[in-house]
């Protein structure tokens, strides 16, 4: 059976986006018309994912409300004949089954994924970080390609990578150590390192928030000590799976499927502008507005 299960960690505190995230999850911030997490779910559902386990945490309950069916709103819109607005709620009825559990302590991304183990058990699964969108309007096929690659190779770890153009940015991401020179979009992974110093980075390929794992990841997560920032790092557990002889595959994101990282204001603002400009109804008007404004400055 194809991989149809995804774990979506959404428990991070979003402190780099304060005060916007003081009383709402960063995953619910709008990018254009939709909250970030809606794009993530659409991307997964397009890739064939049918079951999503969110790893939530304190203050994240609006994510559950969002994917629920709001019968009262539907009734109100129907009564007042607002069919266009009703159509915006069609996502409530997509074929995905949602489950939620909470990471009760902030012990890091690796720990958040481990919290999913009692639900996932011994199945392979996709892991998609809830604060990153891949591709404009989430129109990326990366997860589908990763699942295909998993089925072909039965690797233990498959990771999407974004090529960083600015080498100084390696300090913010997990970084790939490929086996040999990378001549192809799909390559073998020797190892990985979490947020290395610029002069210690083994490549400029940054972990881009999408993974496919065999259940071997849980065995390692259970014994992964705290690493960078005092947190249990997913990257450290992946490195250990590979060190034990597990197979790792990297897939480079195509240039036309960039990653939008909603973890800091700089990339949040850029993502918002890109998505708003791509809006079929309001994009062209916004472009005229921005051009006029920028011409004046
Ligand atoms: C996490 C991971 C890192 C990865 C990044 C992608 O970091 O630890 O390896 O590159 O997500 O978004 P965070 O952004 O939580 O600091």
């Amino acid at each position: 059976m194809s991989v149809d299960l995804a774990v979506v960690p959404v428990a991070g505190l979003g402190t780099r986006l304060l005060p916007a995230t003081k009383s709402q999850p960063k995953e619910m911030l709008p990018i254009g018309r939709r909250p970030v997490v809606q794009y993530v779910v659409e991307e997964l559902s397009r890739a064939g994912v049918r079951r999503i386990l969110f790893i939530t945490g304190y203050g994240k309950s609006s994510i559950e409300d969002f994917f629920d069916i709001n019968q009262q709103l539907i009734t109100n819109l129907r009564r007042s004949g607002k069919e266009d607005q009703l159509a915006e709620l069609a996502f409530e009825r997509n074929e995905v089954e949602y489950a939620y559990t909470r990471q009760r302590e902030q012990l890091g991304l690796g720990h958040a994924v481990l919290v999913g183990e009692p639900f996932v058990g011994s199945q392979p699964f996709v892991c998609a970080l809830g604060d990153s969108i891949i591709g404009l309007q989430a129109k990326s096929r990366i997860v589908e390609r990763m699942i295909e690659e998993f089925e072909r190779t039965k690797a233990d770890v498959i990771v999407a990578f974004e090529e960083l153009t600015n080498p100084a940015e390696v300090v913010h991401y997990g970084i790939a150590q490929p086996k040999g020179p990378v001549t192809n979009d799909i390559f073998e992974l020797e190892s990985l390192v979490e947020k290395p110093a610029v002069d210690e980075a083994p490549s400029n390929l940054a972990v881009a928030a999408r993974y496919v794992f065999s259940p071997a990841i849980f065995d390692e997560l259970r014994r992964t000590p705290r690493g960078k920032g005092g947190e249990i790092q997913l990257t450290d557990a992946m490195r250990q799976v590979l060190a034990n002889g597990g197979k790792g595959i990297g897939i480079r994101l195509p240039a036309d499927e960039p990653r939008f990282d909603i973890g800091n204001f700089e990339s949040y603002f850029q993502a918002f502008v890109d998505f708003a400009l791509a809006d079929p109804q309001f994009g062209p008007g916004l472009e005229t507005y921005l051009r006029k404004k920028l011409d004046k400055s």
Side-chain angles (χ1 to χ4, degrees):
M1 191 184 76
S2 175
V3 181
D4 75 341
L5 169 66
V7 170
V8 178
V10 289
L13 294 177
T15 48
R16 279 177 293 165
L17 291 165
L18 279 170
T21 51
K22 181 166 177 272
S23 60
Q24 70 171 334
K26 66 175 164 179
E27 296 81 7
M28 287 302 293
L29 291 176
I31 303 290
R33 293 180 184 229
R34 297 171 191 180
V36 179
V37 71
Q38 187 180 355
Y39 292 108
V40 176
V41 166
E42 282 172 2
E43 182 197 326
L44 293 173
S45 132
R46 225 177 287 125
V49 168
R50 293 291 169 266
R51 296 175 292 151
I52 295 181
L53 171 66
F54 286 98
I55 312 294
T56 75
Y58 190 84
K60 300 279 181 167
S61 48
S62 59
I63 297 175
E64 295 177 43
D65 292 343
F66 185 78
F67 290 106
D68 205 353
I69 292 176
N70 185 338
Q71 204 51 59
Q72 199 183 347
L73 181 58
I74 292 172
T75 308
N76 287 347
L77 291 174
R78 188 159 289 144
R79 263 201 213 122
S80 45
K82 294 187 174 147
E83 294 301 323
D84 289 2
Q85 290 167 21
L86 201 54
E88 292 298 337
L89 300 181
F91 77 92
E92 287 180 351
R93 294 179 188 276
N94 77 15
E95 294 167 56
V96 177
E97 289 295 332
Y98 302 103
Y100 301 86
T101 188
R102 282 167 80 125
Q103 182 191 26
R104 285 177 288 176
E105 287 174 286
Q106 289 287 322
L107 297 180
L109 178 60
H111 176 257
V113 174
L114 185 57
V115 166
E117 188 190 11
F119 299 85
V120 174
S122 54
Q123 312 167 67
F125 62 101
V126 173
C127 174
L129 308 190
D131 66 353
S132 285
I133 305 169
I134 314 288
L136 196 59
Q137 313 294 21
K139 298 245 156 61
S140 166
R141 281 199 58 237
I142 195 70
V143 172
E144 209 177 313
R145 291 176 62 209
M146 292 168 80
I147 293 174
E148 281 165 15
E149 206 47 33
F150 174 82
E151 273 153 17
R152 205 174 62 76
T153 62
K154 293 289 176 262
D156 293 295
V157 166
I158 300 191
V159 187
F161 289 97
E162 169 187 47
E163 199 151 12
L164 299 176
T165 45
N166 178 0
E169 286 182 12
V170 293
V171 300
H172 299 302
Y173 301 107
I175 301 293
Q177 182 182 336
K179 252 185 204 168
V182 177
T183 51
N184 205 314
D185 279 347
I186 301 184
F187 56 92
E188 272 202 59
L189 272 177
E190 174 79 47
S191 190
L192 292 132
V193 51
E194 180 69 7
K195 305 189 173 110
V198 175
D199 54 354
E200 282 166 10
S203 74
N204 64 344
L205 294 164
V207 174
R210 299 292 181 270
Y211 316 77
V212 176
F213 292 124
S214 81
I217 195 70
F218 291 129
D219 296 332
E220 286 315 323
L221 280 171
R222 257 181 264 120
R223 43 182 178 241
T224 300
R226 291 175 188 239
K228 215 71 294 136
E231 297 188 335
I232 297 170
Q233 296 290 350
L234 186 55
T235 303
D236 292 347
M238 291 194 282
R239 189 178 55 242
Q240 206 46 53
V241 169
L242 302 183
N244 294 344
K247 192 178 170 72
I249 303 276
I251 305 192
R252 191 163 38 184
L253 288 175
D256 59 353
E257 291 181 19
R259 176 171 95 104
F260 297 91
D261 174 6
I262 321 301
N264 62 74
F265 280 117
E266 187 183 6
S267 50
Y268 171 55
F269 289 169
Q270 287 167 1
F272 195 101
V273 171
D274 283 353
F275 278 56
L277 284 172
D279 188 280
Q281 189 180 0
F282 298 111
L286 177 66
E287 186 172 342
T288 311
Y289 170 80
L290 289 175
R291 281 190 194 285
K292 233 190 261 166
K293 200 169 175 70
L294 295 172
D295 277 351
K296 272 193 212 143
S297 57

